[in-house]
Amino acid sequence: MSETPHSAAATVARWRSAEERGDVDAAVACLSRDVVLGSPLTEQFRFEGSDQLRDFLTSAFTAVKDVRYHTQTGEGDAYALVYRARVGSQSFEEVQLLRLDDEAKIKEITLFGRPMPSLTALMTTLGPELARQQGRRGLAALMRASTIPVHAMVTFGDRSMVAKTRPTAR
């Protein structure tokens, strides 16, 4: 990478700040034109380019609230960031692997989230919101209707069944 680590670090700091504030324009300003983000919830598609990422971030910032970064590591052109937030009433934690280009712009984002009930809560919000942004209200309603039972099963299992398998449970 031809830029100094300070330039990459400055981009990462601006990215963090933009996400914590929910500022889509400031976040998009950190991205390269050909940025790529694999969907955090499915392998079926990727978001490619800053225009598609703008739509994704608009939906994500609607769904994910109270972002607070607590860990960052990296140097050169690769950084890992970890934050806590909430999706609805669910607490959520995400790791972002960011790769930067020669101009210290983010060119690749890989997301990892936990716990599972938060991911399914995100799924019930994010997919329908993206469909609504595309003017596909019928698809948005269908996506929401098809993801709610998955979220209900995961949440029930997490709250009642998983607790029974703890090592101290009898």
Side-chain angles (χ1 to χ4, degrees):
M1 194 160 133
S2 62
E3 294 289 321
T4 66
H6 175 72
S7 294
T11 297
V12 171
R14 287 191 307 274
W15 173 257
R16 285 178 56 156
S17 177
E19 282 209 301
E20 287 179 337
R21 294 187 328 267
D23 186 337
V24 173
D25 291 332
V28 170
C30 298
L31 304 175
S32 71
R33 281 191 197 164
D34 58 349
V35 63
V36 174
L37 181 143
S39 168
L41 300 174
T42 179
E43 288 288 327
Q44 299 301 314
F45 62 90
R46 301 172 353 145
F47 298 92
E48 298 179 353
S50 56
D51 289 341
Q52 285 184 7
L53 261 287
R54 176 181 295 282
D55 292 344
F56 171 79
L57 291 171
T58 299
S59 295
F61 290 175
T62 299
V64 179
K65 300 293 186 189
D66 301 328
V67 172
R68 294 294 172 256
Y69 283 92
H70 60 80
T71 304
Q72 175 178 319
T73 187
E75 63 182 5
D77 68 349
Y79 287 79
L81 311 175
V82 187
Y83 70 79
R84 287 188 183 93
R86 66 180 174 79
V87 177
S89 63
Q90 303 276 334
S91 62
F92 178 66
E93 190 166 35
E94 182 174 76
V95 176
Q96 300 176 340
L97 175 59
L98 306 178
R99 297 196 185 279
L100 290 88
D101 64 15
D102 290 338
E103 296 175 2
K105 295 280 192 173
I106 299 169
K107 69 177 180 180
E108 183 181 322
I109 305 170
T110 305
L111 306 175
F112 307 90
R114 63 164 302 278
M116 181 64 91
S118 297
L119 293 175
T120 58
L122 183 60
M123 185 172 68
T124 65
T125 304
L126 193 55
E129 178 62 26
L130 286 167
R132 272 191 291 283
Q133 282 183 6
Q134 298 169 1
R136 302 169 77 187
R137 294 198 181 281
L139 179 60
L142 179 61
M143 290 179 80
R144 182 140 173 88
S146 67
T147 58
I148 285 176
V150 173
H151 176 61
M153 287 187 295
V154 167
T155 300
F156 172 77
D158 186 61
R159 290 183 181 155
S160 62
M161 302 309 291
V162 172
K164 294 174 179 19
T165 63
R166 288 187 190 127
T168 57
R170 293 276 172 190

